[in-house]
């Protein structure tokens, strides 16, 4: 299957295994991952945020239940909310989640904004787990015809070592631990030398309330705009 499908399938498998109740997708884009996750009955709350309001508005109606969904007794209660907002800014409604996903988004941020992202996600939202995927530049020589980055909007593409050093720093700063994996394997035994096409870090929070008030205030901030809300 295509790489973007493999990335979303990785999250679906993670949800099947860990059964988070509240899930937030950061940089939800066309809402494709949210559309897959809404069929997982252990999830009670599904939230997405993206900076691109037009994109959300174009795709959000695909999250509405089709009439037969209501007839399925196994749909208990699911609330879906979509926001316009930037992952570099705090919003108190995004605290208290079991899982946050950031699939192919950090490489769209400037290095300064990656720092804001780290502080907001790991320091403020503090979800129980975080799944982050980003291109692995060690793999790029295997991509035919590629010169430069995989996408014109990418601000960087990290090697496995660069991703690792960022992730480990985040863990020690904010009290998480991380496991490295990925999707998209090289053929012909290249794997050990180049790794996965998309690298993935799975972060787990170590302590509920560390560090206190990282961002220096107790006040709840609401910087995102609700665009869509539906209850199944
Ligand atoms: N996560 C989706 C997926 O897996 O298909 C979309 C990935 S797309 C390559 C990157 C997304 O990140 C875009 O929808 C873009 O609008 C969004 N984005 C970029 N910068 C952002 C920011 N600062 N805050 C929130 N979303 C952002």
């Amino acid at each position: 299957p295509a790489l973007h499908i493999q990335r979303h399938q990785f999250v679906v498998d993670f949800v099947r295994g860990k059964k988070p109740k509240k899930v937030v997708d950061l940089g939800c884009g066309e809402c494709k991952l949210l559309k897959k996750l809404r069929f997982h009955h252990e999830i009670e709350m599904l939230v997405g945020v993206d900076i691109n309001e037009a994109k959300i508005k174009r795709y959000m109606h695909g999250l509405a239940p089709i009439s037969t969904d209501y007839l399925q007794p196994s749909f208990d209660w699911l609330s879906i909310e979509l926001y316009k907002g930037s992952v570099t800014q705090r919003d108190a409604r995004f605290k208290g989640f079991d899982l946050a996903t950031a699939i192919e988004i950090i490489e769209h941020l400037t290095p300064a904004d990656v720092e804001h992202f780290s502080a907001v996600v790991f320091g403020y939202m503090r979800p129980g787990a975080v799944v982050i995927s980003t291109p692995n530049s060690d793999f790029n020589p295997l991509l035919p015809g590629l010169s430069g980055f995989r996408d014109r909007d990418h601000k960087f593409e990290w090697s496995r070592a660069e991703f690792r050093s960022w992730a480990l720093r985040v863990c020690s700063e904010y009290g998480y631990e991380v496991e490295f994996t990925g999707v998209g394997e090289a053929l012909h035994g290249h794997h050990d030398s180049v790794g996965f096409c998309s690298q993935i870090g799975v972060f787990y929070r170590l302590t509920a309330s560390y560090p206190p008030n990282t961002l220096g205030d107790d006040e709840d901030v609401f910087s995102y705009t609700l665009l869509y809300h539906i209850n199944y």
Side-chain angles (χ1 to χ4, degrees):
L3 203 58
H4 71 273
I5 295 184
Q6 292 186 52
R7 288 189 292 258
H8 291 172
Q9 190 58 42
F10 180 91
V11 175
V12 167
D13 292 341
F14 185 89
V15 164
R16 283 207 181 107
K18 305 284 183 189
K19 308 204 180 314
K21 287 187 164 53
K22 296 177 74 183
V23 179
V24 58
D25 188 26
L26 307 169
C28 59
E30 299 170 1
C31 307
K32 281 189 186 146
L33 179 57
L34 295 173
K35 274 178 204 162
K36 283 192 176 162
L37 291 177
R38 73 194 163 130
F39 296 113
H40 292 270
H41 306 305
E42 49 276 343
I43 298 180
E44 293 166 3
M45 187 174 196
L46 209 44
V47 173
V49 61
D50 201 283
I51 203 169
N52 188 333
E53 177 170 0
K55 207 189 240 183
I56 293 187
K57 286 188 165 163
R58 197 168 337 124
Y59 292 98
M60 64 189 188
H61 299 290
L63 287 166
I66 49 172
S67 57
T68 52
D69 291 342
Y70 285 120
L71 303 175
Q72 290 203 13
S74 54
F75 273 78
D76 299 333
W77 185 261
L78 170 65
S79 150
I80 304 179
E81 292 173 4
L82 297 177
Y83 293 84
K84 177 228 156 85
S86 172
V87 293
T88 59
Q89 292 188 307
R90 288 169 287 165
D91 191 292
R93 291 165 289 193
F94 280 56
K95 286 177 171 184
F97 280 78
D98 302 306
L99 171 66
T101 55
I103 306 303
E104 305 295 287
I105 161 159
I106 56 170
E107 66 276 4
H108 294 268
L109 305 177
T110 63
D113 277 346
V114 173
E115 295 303 308
H116 295 305
F117 168 87
S118 311
V120 167
V121 175
F122 295 93
Y124 184 78
M125 295 180 186
R126 296 195 64 67
V130 186
V131 174
I132 294 184
S133 88
T134 192
N136 163 24
S137 66
D138 293 332
F139 194 98
N140 284 358
L142 296 192
L143 297 174
L146 180 72
S147 62
F149 292 148
R150 297 183 193 179
D151 185 287
R152 273 193 319 185
D153 189 53
H154 287 178
K155 308 299 185 291
F156 59 86
E157 287 176 356
W158 278 336
S159 66
R160 283 168 295 174
E162 288 167 322
F163 182 46
R164 190 181 180 80
S165 86
W166 172 77
L168 294 177
R169 188 162 52 78
V170 159
C171 285
S172 74
E173 242 168 272
Y174 299 108
Y176 279 77
E177 64 185 6
V178 61
E179 289 165 8
F180 298 98
T181 178
V183 295
E185 293 200 45
L187 302 172
H188 313 306
H190 277 301
H191 178 71
D192 285 345
S193 55
V194 297
F196 293 98
C197 189
S198 292
Q199 51 187 342
I200 295 176
V202 183
F203 300 75
Y204 296 96
R205 195 183 59 214
L206 293 175
T207 53
S209 61
Y210 171 94
N213 303 325
T214 307
L215 295 162
D217 68 1
D218 324 280
E219 269 184 31
D220 279 341
V221 185
F222 301 92
S223 60
Y224 301 168
T225 307
L226 183 67
L227 295 180
Y228 184 78
H229 181 203
I230 194 155
N231 288 316
Y232 275 53

